[in-house]
Amino acid sequence: MISRNNTRHLLASAIAFIFILSTTAPVTLSQRRRVKKQASVTTQKAVTHQLPPWTRQVRPARTYDVLHYTIKTRFDVPGKMVVGDETVMLKPLASGFKSFELDASNMKIEAVTLSESNTMLQWKQPPDKLAITLDRTYEPSETITLRIRYRATPERGLYFIPKGSDGNTSWSKPAQIWTQGEPEENHHWFPCYDFPDDKATSEQYITTGADEIAISNGTLLETTNNADGTRTFHWKMEQPHASYLVSLVVGNYAKLEGVYKNIPLEYYTYRGTEETAQRAFVKTPEMMRLFGQKLDYEYPYNRYAQTIVASFIFGGMENITATTHADSEILYGTTKDAQLAQENLISHELAHSWFGNLVTCKDWSELWLNEGFATFMEAVFREHEAGRDAYLEEMRSNTSLYFMEDMLKYRRPIRYDRYGSAIDIFDATVYKKGALVLHMLRETVGDEMFWKALHRYLEEYRYKPVGTEDLQRVFEATTNQQLGWFFDQWVYKAGFPELRVRSLYHAPTQSLTLEVAQTQSADAMTPLVFR
């Protein structure tokens, strides 16, 4: 997932940052001056680093493993309602399993039954939950399949968008229904275990109007024309994935097609915008080739789709095999900067196919393993397209945005389990500093070892949730280096080195002496000395 207009605002942010530095950090300017005598430079602290009043977030331990979701939906568009019929297959993780909870908000539950026997089960609805009591105790060797019939009026997670036009184009936006599950929003339209440390397969039966199509995850197995004039689309995703990646888009779309090797590529856009969309998505096959080659791990699924939607709340979202993009990011890119932003967005969401979808952060405190990697891979594609200088320019841009957050908002470690709600930590520390840390790790271990370690990381943890300790272990095993110092100061601690530079030029010998000291104020988060 990537925030809207991130790159578009980069120049303005960088200018603002330079202004702030010029007024609060004279040491930075002094480093640029060539002086012929020793200069004494003092650093004045510009900010007191304070965190918002966030609390430690601890998710209760899982008591069950979801194996598969089957979700059947139709829609009351005027009432903005989802009519759902869902089957959930799961296994207990311990003996004596008798009751459990699914995440579910704003739902009217009509019935909960055991699928095979149609036995009615008891259930309650505490806030944002569906608490189910089973007919007996179950053991980990047993599989439980439940059927839940419900109606949902989502406040989040699923959105009904009316038909419209912005008045400046020759095309109009069709009426749409689309979902946005990350971080914990899908339980507003189907009951689920809505946290990233559980992975299940899924399939959907989505009923639409006669002139609409439904786009979802995995493979389209069948389209059925119903007697009432509606159509039902049956999609199935056969590789396990976190529940936040389940998605659907419904609307009257034009479909463009491409291919990478034997993998079909699909681009869904508004009618009348096909040429614009084709230009935006044209580099997708090359991105797939490059990422597969760098990681020595080909695109891990059998299809990749990209769909534009109106009024999207982010720039893009990496729903598994079926990325969603904001139409404003794809259809309005006429300037060079806007086209570069498009490429970054498209490469970012594609990179999540490996980092986030295949290998998934085990909780939101580890989000950088999704978003830091995807932001880093944007720069890798820029390096491929335009060379090393373009790659480093991306890193400088990341640095500017991270420094601004550190100076103007707060300072926190990359891995951080304190927040108000999960969306709070989708910030520059995760995205931008996360990418910078990966860049530094690449420079520390060398290019060959870096990509070799990432290949091993993907191989060992595919379809699994991961933490930073897993990445560190793989890098240490691959490079035969102890990297605890690196991860401690850059991931588990916060901040960065703040430097005072003194210089002395001795004209007779034409020698320059430099003295560099770290001046950052150490605290519980910030190291006294960075290695």
Side-chain angles (χ1 to χ4, degrees), residues 8 17 28 33 36 47 63 102 104 133 137 186 219 227 249 256 273 277 322 360 365 395 399 426 428 510:
R8 193 171 299 165
F17 177 66
T28 304
R33 299 187 185 119
K36 295 185 178 181
V47 242
T63 60
L102 293 169
T133 301
T137 59
N186 270 344
T219 303
V249 178
L256 308 175
T273 68
T360 309
S365 73
M395 290 302 162
T399 304
F426 284 72
Q510 295 186 342

Side-chain angles (χ1 to χ4, degrees), residues 400-417:
S400 296
L401 289 174
Y402 163 60
F403 279 179
M404 281 195 67
E405 179 174 273
D406 183 89
M407 181 172 288
L408 300 179
K409 289 182 67 178
Y410 52 71
R411 170 174 291 183
R412 70 172 184 86
I414 290 180
R415 189 205 173 280
Y416 199 63
D417 61 2

Side-chain angles (χ1 to χ4, degrees), residues 373-425:
F373 268 100
T375 306
F376 172 77
M377 295 302 284
E378 292 178 42
V380 170
F381 186 70
R382 293 302 308 142
E383 182 178 35
H384 169 70
E385 288 279 287
R388 178 73 172 179
D389 287 347
Y391 168 86
L392 293 175
E393 182 57 36
E394 285 290 314
M395 290 302 162
R396 281 190 287 272
S397 298
N398 292 334
T399 304
S400 296
L401 289 174
Y402 163 60
F403 279 179
M404 281 195 67
E405 179 174 273
D406 183 89
M407 181 172 288
L408 300 179
K409 289 182 67 178
Y410 52 71
R411 170 174 291 183
R412 70 172 184 86
I414 290 180
R415 189 205 173 280
Y416 199 63
D417 61 2
R418 299 175 187 274
Y419 47 87
S421 61
I423 197 65
D424 293 337
I425 57 174

Side-chain angles (χ1 to χ4, degrees), residues 133-255:
T133 301
L134 298 169
D135 59 327
R136 60 177 177 85
T137 59
Y138 287 79
E139 299 302 307
S141 59
E142 298 181 274
T143 299
I144 306 164
T145 305
L146 306 167
R147 181 184 179 189
I148 305 167
R149 284 172 285 171
Y150 64 96
R151 293 173 183 263
T153 50
E155 295 180 357
R156 296 191 295 274
L158 183 144
Y159 301 85
F160 295 87
I161 309 298
K163 181 178 180 179
S165 173
D166 61 12
N168 297 318
T169 61
S170 59
W171 43 267
S172 62
K173 303 176 183 182
Q176 303 160 36
I177 304 168
W178 49 259
T179 61
Q180 167 54 36
E182 193 179 27
E184 299 173 23
E185 307 295 334
N186 270 344
H187 70 273
H188 288 264
W189 67 276
F190 73 97
C192 60
Y193 180 88
D194 206 357
F195 202 69
D197 64 342
D198 182 63
K199 292 197 172 191
T201 54
S202 65
E203 62 185 309
Q204 294 192 60
Y205 294 80
I206 307 162
T207 299
T208 74
D211 62 344
E212 296 176 317
I213 61 173
I215 304 146
S216 188
N217 318 106
T219 303
L220 179 60
L221 298 181
E222 185 180 21
T223 302
T224 303
N225 295 315
N226 303 316
D228 62 358
T230 61
R231 295 199 292 174
T232 298
F233 295 78
H234 180 194
W235 290 90
K236 189 171 186 178
M237 183 68 215
E238 295 185 338
Q239 289 82 22
H241 53 277
S243 60
Y244 73 84
L245 296 169
V246 174
S247 71
L248 64 83
V249 178
V250 173
N252 186 343
Y253 280 91
K255 178 183 178 182

Side-chain angles (χ1 to χ4, degrees), residues 35-38 503-513:
V35 293
K36 295 185 178 181
K37 61 181 181 178
Q38 186 172 5
S503 62
L504 176 63
Y505 181 66
H506 188 251
T509 60
Q510 295 186 342
S511 62
L512 177 68
T513 301

